[in-house]
Amino acid sequence: MSVVFVPKRQRGKAQINQETIQRLLDENDQLVRCITEYLQKGRATECVQYQQILHRNIVYLGTIADASTEIQPDTTTPCEKITLAASKDPSDVTDRRN
């Protein structure tokens, strides 16, 4: 059973920590491998349940990520923001000396 499924009495009380997130990521890795294996064997019907769990896990992780960005203030300095922006896509850099 997926770690996302929590009994009703414990909902909202779960502590989200790095271990929980890593377990979900590991579970997602296993689900992707399982889905791939079934698809290669031509058993697409059996994949549906695993795809649903994978989808639920991804949505849950996205929700955690969204919530954590709302809670944590942006502590990067303007110089760090420029450095981060410049390092995101090096192929996007154009020569403006022309």
Side-chain angles (χ1 to χ4, degrees):
M1 177 182 267
S2 177
V3 294
V4 172
F5 298 105
V6 178
K8 284 187 177 184
R9 67 180 183 277
Q10 292 179 343
R11 288 186 187 165
K13 299 175 184 176
Q15 292 294 324
I16 306 302
N17 56 31
Q18 190 62 36
E19 181 184 334
T20 303
I21 292 170
Q22 189 59 52
R23 281 195 333 225
L24 277 168
L25 293 172
D26 293 342
E27 181 178 5
N28 288 353
D29 178 62
Q30 185 62 35
L31 287 166
V32 169
R33 291 173 192 269
C34 191
I35 290 166
T36 303
E37 184 179 329
Y38 275 125
L39 287 174
Q40 288 174 346
K41 293 179 180 180
R43 298 170 60 187
T45 308
E46 286 90 347
C47 293
V48 174
Q49 65 182 355
Y50 298 116
Q51 289 170 333
Q52 290 172 341
I53 294 169
L54 178 63
H55 178 264
R56 189 175 299 135
N57 286 357
I58 291 170
V59 169
Y60 183 70
L61 287 168
T63 304
I64 293 170
D66 287 345
S68 68
T69 57
E70 291 172 8
I71 295 171
Q72 297 174 352
D74 187 10
T75 58
T76 56
T77 65
C79 290
E80 290 172 329
K81 288 179 184 178
I82 292 169
T83 304
L84 288 172
S87 66
K88 284 190 180 183
D89 188 8
S91 65
D92 194 28
V93 177
T94 56
D95 189 3
R96 298 193 178 158
R97 292 180 281 180
N98 297 343

